[in-house]
Amino acid sequence: MSSPHILYDAEVTLRAPKPEDMADRLALGRDPEIVRMFGGDTSNPLPPLAAGEVSRWLDRINAHPHAWVVEHNGRLLGEARLDGLDAHDGRARLATGLFDPAKLGQGLGRKVVRLVLQHAFEDLWLHRVDLRVLAYNARAIRCYRSCGFVEEGREREAALVAGERHDDVIMGILSREFSSILPGSLS
């Protein structure tokens, strides 16, 4: 049950998984810094990414009604999801990740977030989208702020990463806040 919407701009496409994504994801492997930003333990060498893990990951995206593979230049780059969509309250939680360290810092994450927010607010008629991000993930926090998210609070020492406690930053954006951002400011 893949998402019925393909979301795209000039640089990124959010779409359902396809067979060649398996090889692309395996080729990207596990970058230790990216794994750490997701809250993974990198204190020991990471095992190679296995085909079974990737297959299950692609199956989860395909079964999720609001999840996409992120594609850039014809290759898999990451994923994006709207989790816990509550139509009554008009809310969902954003989750996104890019897996290629060479593509970080190029504004692609902002484009992905903007596409998902546009879909959330204009197609799904949501009122708010929130997210959680580790407080040490400064790059992601900058990205979310540039897309209009504001810090709403912190869960102190909520994440245990490699034996150390870290804060989760809770951020949110309302539909009226997103609509007030000029499209050119997110490019």
Side-chain angles (χ1 to χ4, degrees):
M1 175 176 163
S2 168
S3 176
H5 292 86
I6 295 175
L7 311 175
Y8 60 92
D9 73 2
E11 290 194 68
V12 294
T13 301
L14 280 61
R15 57 162 176 78
K18 57 186 182 182
E20 48 272 33
D21 292 334
M22 173 75 81
D24 287 348
R25 181 63 188 100
L26 285 168
L28 288 171
R30 286 189 174 104
D31 179 79
E33 188 59 17
I34 290 174
V35 169
R36 184 174 176 279
M37 292 304 126
F38 291 158
D41 184 349
T42 58
S43 58
N44 294 309
L46 297 171
L49 192 59
E53 290 175 79
V54 173
S55 179
R56 287 186 297 278
W57 173 72
L58 291 169
D59 288 345
R60 280 191 304 272
I61 291 173
N62 208 35
H64 193 298
H66 304 286
W68 303 267
V69 163
V70 176
E71 177 183 300
H72 173 66
N73 290 337
R75 307 286 306 264
L76 179 138
L77 175 61
E79 72 171 305
R81 300 185 317 271
L82 285 172
D83 290 331
L85 194 139
D86 181 328
H88 175 77
D89 288 333
R91 63 183 295 158
R93 174 154 290 168
L94 175 68
T96 183
L98 304 181
F99 306 130
D100 186 346
K103 300 292 184 179
L104 300 179
Q106 298 179 14
L108 299 173
R110 283 192 312 273
K111 291 176 183 295
V112 170
V113 171
R114 179 185 54 82
L115 287 170
V116 174
L117 290 176
Q118 186 172 0
H119 175 65
F121 295 134
E122 295 178 6
D123 299 329
L124 300 175
W125 297 92
L126 297 182
H127 173 68
R128 67 174 277 122
V129 173
D130 64 29
L131 59 86
R132 305 172 67 97
V133 59
L134 286 161
Y136 63 72
N137 194 342
R139 181 192 312 264
I141 291 169
R142 276 192 312 273
C143 170
Y144 298 136
R145 281 190 177 129
S146 74
C147 292
F149 281 88
V150 297
E151 185 173 330
E152 297 179 332
R154 285 180 178 250
E155 284 191 311
R156 297 178 307 136
E157 299 183 4
L160 182 63
V161 181
E164 293 182 24
R165 296 277 175 194
H166 296 276
D167 293 355
D168 267 339
V169 176
I170 310 302
M171 302 180 82
I173 184 171
L174 305 177
S175 60
R176 67 179 173 269
E177 294 166 338
F178 180 73
S179 64
S180 71
I181 298 172
L182 298 174
S185 68
L186 297 177
S187 303

